[in-house]
Amino acid sequence: RLVHTLDGCRGPATGMDFCDDGAICGSKKDTSKFASEKCAIFSSYVKSISKSGEGVQVQHSDDRLWQACAIYCKRSDTGGWYTPRLELNDLPISPYFPDGTFCHSEGSTKYYCQRHMCLEKDSRVARADKPDLDIPNNAKAKEEVEIPEPLKQFFSLDDNKEPVGGEYYGVGKEQDESEWEVKDYLN
């Protein structure tokens, strides 16, 4: 029996079922090709992303379960790689690979993207107690806010696809949300 409380309620575990889609999918797109097509689109929204549209899927990380499911784009300014999670947050464009995308293996255990995380095939996941990034994810209403450098580094990889920044613990100050614009794309 579920007991619903505000304090500590993680909700029921959810999972995905996988099936063989060979009968309905004639061919599958390579992850680099998919990422590059998306990065070409992202470059219209994020000026630091190269207009060449080069994109990749990067290696799985136990510390950043989302990393192998995020689309990383070549940067025009540093030559490194960047995933525009925050810049695209308010747009109907996803910086992630689709659910079901293969992202890792350990021996015979295969991992797939499931709700933006690289998880074992038969994982059942409950909502985390803390978000992976504890910051407000919407822009202020009347001004363009620059993303803090430590946060940009958190989403950046060097040219060898190694993390540039470490952990990011949040903005630290509360913001007045009373005049923020609400964009609801579910109309």
Side-chain angles (χ1 to χ4, degrees):
R1 176 182 150 179
L2 290 175
V3 177
H4 299 285
T5 65
L6 293 176
D7 189 33
C9 177
R10 295 181 61 197
T14 61
M16 294 187 173
D17 293 322
F18 292 87
C19 60
D20 181 7
D21 61 359
I24 56 173
C25 295
S27 65
K28 294 183 183 179
K29 196 175 287 187
D30 173 81
T31 54
S32 293
K33 181 176 170 70
F34 181 86
S36 294
E37 288 173 3
K38 292 295 184 178
C39 288
I41 295 168
F42 300 167
S43 69
S44 299
Y45 297 93
V46 182
K47 64 183 177 183
S48 63
I49 292 177
S50 173
K51 298 290 182 199
S52 70
E54 186 179 352
V56 294
Q57 180 182 37
V58 300
Q59 186 175 352
H60 170 75
S61 166
D62 287 332
D63 296 327
R64 299 177 178 193
L65 294 178
W66 54 269
Q67 182 174 281
C69 296
I71 296 170
Y72 277 83
C73 302
K74 188 77 161 174
R75 292 183 60 139
S76 57
D77 53 355
T78 66
W81 300 89
Y82 183 71
T83 183
R85 281 180 53 181
L86 294 179
E87 292 88 344
L88 302 179
N89 182 65
D90 242 6
L91 299 172
I93 302 171
S94 177
Y96 296 98
F97 287 97
D99 286 340
T101 301
F102 176 77
C103 55
H104 180 61
S105 66
E106 286 181 16
S108 63
T109 305
K110 294 186 179 187
Y111 290 65
Y112 295 89
C113 293
Q114 300 173 58
R115 295 196 170 118
H116 307 158
M117 294 183 292
C118 186
L119 302 170
E120 284 184 51
K121 182 177 179 179
D122 295 319
S123 292
R124 298 284 183 236
V125 179
R127 183 171 54 91
D129 290 330
K130 287 182 156 185
D132 72 328
L133 197 59
D134 193 14
I135 61 170
N137 271 326
N138 292 317
K140 287 185 178 179
K142 296 183 179 174
E143 60 184 88
E144 194 66 34
V145 177
E146 183 69 24
I147 296 172
E149 192 58 34
L151 195 49
K152 285 183 184 176
Q153 289 181 355
F154 180 77
F155 292 117
S156 294
L157 303 175
D158 64 19
D159 50 353
N160 294 318
K161 300 183 184 93
E162 295 294 327
V164 171
E167 297 299 318
Y168 188 82
Y169 294 104
V171 172
K173 72 174 189 174
E174 291 295 318
Q175 299 182 22
D176 178 17
E177 300 178 21
S178 62
E179 295 186 36
W180 288 18
E181 180 181 357
V182 175
K183 292 184 180 179
D184 186 356
Y185 294 105
L186 300 176
N187 291 332

